[in-house]
């Protein structure tokens, strides 16, 4: 398909530390392996989109520093577009420390990017009618401005809502961004926080449907709540979609949500119905969880297996 997918938000240097078990409060653990790699939700999503054959453009800002240079080299080595990555002398490059245990589960410490840096991400991008915009909730006004421009061109606007950003900007700011999006994705961590906030004690699957309905705001947009090993629940107009998870043994769960979003966006851009696009996104994420790779053919094979299981 022609057109590009613009992925907005912070480009982050991820410092990944592998341990046997995540240390608890006042506990110590030995690091088994260390790795530095490019990360952040928009980078993970853009990387997966490019592996799925889309023209992915990362839209972000980094500092003119050593960390920024490592990130630019990482992107160049993978033939990823850097034209919308702004290098600013007065900014510092974002970083995160990710501790991954033997089950692939992780804890992430994010060094927050200054508000002034985030506030202008996306402002210089020129959109065309066959583009798609994908963003995390990096800054309420910057995301709203970009989505507003995209809506003017009839372009799909997908937002991934995660808890650190909701806690940073507030639940009201999260609600305010919803009318600007055409598709909202969130996860179990947000669901649990929302349940605690609203006193919702329903079983997780029912509560997920309620949150999806809330995010979809009377069918104005599509909404997806991912539940990890329990699959996902989504709302599209009057229809409720439930997709079961694939059985996988994860090596590292970091970025799996971003790969899901990339698979979903790719399938929707290629004309798949929403239900089928959800299954393809789930399959792409499952393959990534097990292998650390994103591969359209492998995801298709998983989709076929799932369909056979249903027969
Ligand atoms: O979504 C995963 C990303 O979140 C964190 O911000 C890390 O940078 C990681 O790459």
């Amino acid at each position: 398909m022609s057109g590009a997918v613009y992925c907005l938000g912070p480009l982050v240097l991820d410092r990944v530390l592998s341990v046997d078990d995540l240390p608890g409060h006042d506990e110590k653990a030995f690091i088994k392996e260390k790795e530095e790699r490019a990360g952040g939700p928009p980078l993970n999503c853009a990387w997966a989109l490019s592996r799925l054959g889309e023209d992915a453009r990362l839209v972000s800002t980094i500092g003119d520093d050593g960390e920024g240079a490592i990130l630019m080299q990482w992107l160049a080595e993978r033939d990823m577009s850097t034209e919308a990555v702004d290098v600013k002398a007065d900014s510092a490059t974002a970083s995160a420390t990710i501790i991954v245990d033997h089950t692939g589960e992780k804890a992430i410490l994010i060094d927050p990017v200054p508000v002034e840096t985030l506030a202008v991400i996306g402002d210089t991008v020129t959109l065309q009618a066959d583009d798609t915009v994908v963003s995390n909730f990096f800054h309420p006004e910057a995301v709203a401005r970009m989505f507003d421009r995209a809506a003017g061109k009839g372009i799909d606007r997908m937002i991934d809502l995660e808890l650190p950003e909701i806690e940073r900007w507030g639940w009201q700011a999260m609600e305010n961004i919803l009318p600007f999006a055409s598709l909202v994705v969130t996860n179990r961590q947000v669901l649990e926080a929302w349940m605690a906030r609203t006193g919702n004690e329903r079983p997780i699957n029912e509560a997920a449907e309620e949150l999806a309905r809330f995010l979809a705001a009377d069918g104005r947009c599509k909404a997806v709540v991912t539940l990890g090993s329990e699959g996902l629940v989504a709302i599209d107009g009057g229809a409720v979609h439930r997709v079961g998870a694939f059985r996988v043994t994860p090596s590292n769960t970091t970025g799996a949500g971003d790969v899901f979003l990339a698979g979903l966006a790719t399938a929707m851009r290629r004309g798949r119905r929403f239900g089928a696009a959800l299954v393809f996104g789930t399959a792409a994420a499952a393959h990534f969880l097990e292998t650390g790779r994103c591969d359209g053919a492998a995801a298709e094979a998983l989709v076929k297996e799932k369909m056979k299981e249903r027969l």
Side-chain angles (χ1 to χ4, degrees), residues 12-14 38-41 44 96 98 108 110 162 165 254-255 258:
V12 178
L13 182 66
D14 281 355
N44 297 332
I98 303 176
I108 303 185
I110 302 169
E162 292 190 290
E165 287 75 25
T254 312
D258 308 321

Side-chain angles (χ1 to χ4, degrees), residues 165-296:
E165 287 75 25
I166 294 174
E167 285 176 340
R168 183 171 192 182
W169 305 114
W171 287 86
Q172 188 56 53
M174 185 275 274
E175 279 189 47
N176 295 346
I177 201 69
L178 299 176
F180 292 90
S182 59
L183 191 152
V184 180
V185 178
T186 194
N187 60 25
R188 188 175 187 131
Q189 200 190 9
V190 171
L191 172 63
E192 285 172 358
W194 180 77
M195 289 170 73
R197 247 178 92 75
T198 55
N200 188 323
E201 294 181 351
R202 309 284 286 269
I204 202 84
N205 262 292
E206 288 175 27
E209 184 178 328
E210 284 175 27
L211 175 58
R213 284 191 191 284
F214 169 73
L215 296 173
D218 296 328
R220 190 194 30 76
C221 71
K222 299 177 176 62
V224 185
V225 179
T226 61
L227 298 171
S229 60
E230 288 176 66
L232 63 79
V233 180
I235 296 287
D236 177 15
V240 183
H241 300 266
R242 292 184 189 276
V243 178
F246 291 85
R247 278 184 294 278
V248 289
T249 309
S251 55
N252 181 353
T253 59
T254 312
D258 308 321
V259 175
F260 165 74
L261 198 57
L264 179 61
T266 300
M268 287 173 66
R269 282 172 63 76
R270 294 176 189 179
R272 284 204 195 174
R273 300 241 287 253
F274 187 52
L278 289 167
V279 176
F280 182 78
T282 306
H287 181 252
F288 171 80
L289 278 168
E290 222 158 36
T291 65
R293 295 198 298 273
C294 182
D295 179 321

Side-chain angles (χ1 to χ4, degrees), residues 8-29:
L8 281 79
L11 170 57
V12 178
L13 182 66
D14 281 355
R15 299 195 165 94
V16 186
L17 310 175
S18 303
V19 296
D20 280 330
D21 295 297
L22 294 180
H25 181 77
D26 204 22
E27 285 179 0
K28 298 180 185 182

